[in-house]
Amino acid sequence: MTHPLSDRINSLPASATLAMAAKARELRAEGKDIIGLSLGEPDFNTPDFIKDAAIEAVNENYNSYTPVDGYGELKEAICVKFKRDNDLDYKPNQIVVSTGAKQSIANVMQVLLNPGDEVLLPCPYWVSYSAIATLCEATSVEIRSSIETNFKITPEQLEAAITPKTKLILFNSPNNPSGVIYSEAEYRALAAVLEKYPQIYVMSDEIYEHINYDVKPFSLAAIESLYDRTITVNGLAKAFAMTGWRIGYIGAPEWIAKACTKMQGQITSGTNCIAQRAAISAVLAPISKIQYMVDEFKTRRGIVIDLLKEIDGFKVNIPDGAFYVFPDVSAFFGKTIQGVTINNASDFALFILEKANVATVTGDAFGAPDCIRISYAASELQIREAIKRIKEALS
């Protein structure tokens, strides 16, 4: 039976990461021992000082509707954070707090994009960027990279991708899925191209900024020529282990912030009051309070890379941040293993799910069809067992 759903929803792809997680849950329900390395979710509990702030807010009877763009105290705290961590000068009227950074991104794209506009996506990119562009009736234009270029694009590639229809470009550093971090010099070289095209807006997704391994990320909005057309996106989900609290935010030109507030006011209105009060403590906290998580992720990164290098056919780079590795597995394409022919990364991810009971995500979803994403937001025991299973399934 065909249901009368809108063209809008019918054109929207399902999230590949959520689809793989759902498939893993389905197999677990059948009694299979699935190790999940597909979701981008820290396996730590939210720090106690943040939970204490939430409890205090409950006891102080915060229970009413919140301002659409966020509590004033939280917006002021975010301004402090931007100056402290990124050397960015934002005022509270340039900040909008949303229900997760995904909503922040969707708000910006909804208020900037018209049908037919082009959105540049340096590959690899987070799966939802292209889907949200589709929802806005815009066209995604991929700028390809590879493991040989350390998953970064060049100024020449950027210039070649720009057309009169280009309206927005999305950068994500530290990057999901590759973990790479663009240096200040690399960003300034790309900015030199964008300076020629003042009609192009820039979104800088910095959600993983605090999960870095001795390579400090640089904010695009710190480049003076780009400040007035850059939207800086951030949130608390990753570095503070607050995925379920749903707090994201932007720093942006005031006119964009006002437009996002208008959009959000008709969709979800203000973000959860208790989560916002807790978020004040999180954004004002010194980074040292979450360093134990970063240190653990760095240890796991080393374990994952060492183990993957032992598997013939895997090409691995060393990620600078986030909690993913993004190996190139194209050496397996065209091969038949255990009676299964692997033609692409999607086939490969499905193969190791069904034969090794390990859930990963195909690189097709990230604009990198030769790769798969493996999350190391899991225990060392799970990581070692998962890669042992993958190696045995492929041998």
Side-chain angles (χ1 to χ4, degrees), residues 169-199:
I169 182 166
L170 278 75
F171 287 101
N172 173 214
S173 175
N175 179 261
N176 172 12
S178 69
V180 303
I181 295 177
Y182 279 87
S183 68
E184 179 178 349
E186 289 166 334
Y187 263 164
R188 288 192 179 278
L190 294 167
V193 175
L194 293 169
E195 286 167 2
K196 306 176 195 176
Y197 303 93
Q199 78 279 12

Side-chain angles (χ1 to χ4, degrees), residues 3-79:
H3 297 288
L5 295 173
S6 69
D7 293 340
R8 183 180 303 105
I9 193 64
N10 285 331
S11 69
L12 196 67
S15 165
T17 51
L18 297 181
M20 181 58 83
K23 179 67 174 175
R25 285 194 299 271
E26 179 184 313
L27 291 174
R28 284 194 193 99
E30 295 174 2
K32 294 188 176 180
D33 177 23
I34 304 296
I35 298 176
L37 302 182
S38 61
L39 279 181
E41 181 169 30
D43 59 321
F44 296 97
N45 293 322
T46 303
D48 287 342
F49 76 94
I50 299 173
K51 292 189 285 188
D52 289 342
I55 293 167
E56 183 178 350
V58 171
N59 290 333
E60 291 179 355
N61 295 312
Y62 278 92
N63 51 37
S64 300
Y65 287 128
T66 62
V68 172
D69 55 348
Y71 282 128
E73 302 100 308
L74 176 55
K75 296 202 297 175
E76 289 171 3
I78 290 168
C79 291

Side-chain angles (χ1 to χ4, degrees), residues 238-280:
K238 310 300 183 180
F240 293 89
M242 294 176 68
T243 51
W245 295 68
R246 310 309 302 138
I247 294 285
Y249 55 86
I250 62 167
E254 183 181 358
W255 63 274
I256 293 178
K258 284 184 175 179
C260 288
T261 299
K262 181 180 179 181
M263 171 65 69
Q264 187 164 293
Q266 297 293 1
I267 306 295
T268 59
S269 277
T271 300
N272 176 279
C273 58
I274 305 303
Q276 284 199 60
R277 302 309 299 183
I280 295 171

Side-chain angles (χ1 to χ4, degrees), residues 261-320:
T261 299
K262 181 180 179 181
M263 171 65 69
Q264 187 164 293
Q266 297 293 1
I267 306 295
T268 59
S269 277
T271 300
N272 176 279
C273 58
I274 305 303
Q276 284 199 60
R277 302 309 299 183
I280 295 171
S281 294
V283 296
L284 291 178
I287 305 309
S288 58
K289 285 211 167 190
I290 57 170
Q291 189 61 42
Y292 67 95
M293 289 188 269
V294 179
D295 292 342
E296 179 61 25
F297 283 136
K298 185 176 182 179
T299 298
R300 295 174 187 176
R301 178 191 66 161
I303 292 168
V304 171
I305 291 170
D306 288 346
L307 292 174
L308 288 178
K309 284 180 177 178
E310 295 177 2
I311 304 177
D312 290 338
F314 273 70
K315 285 194 285 186
V316 186
N317 72 322
I318 299 178
D320 302 312

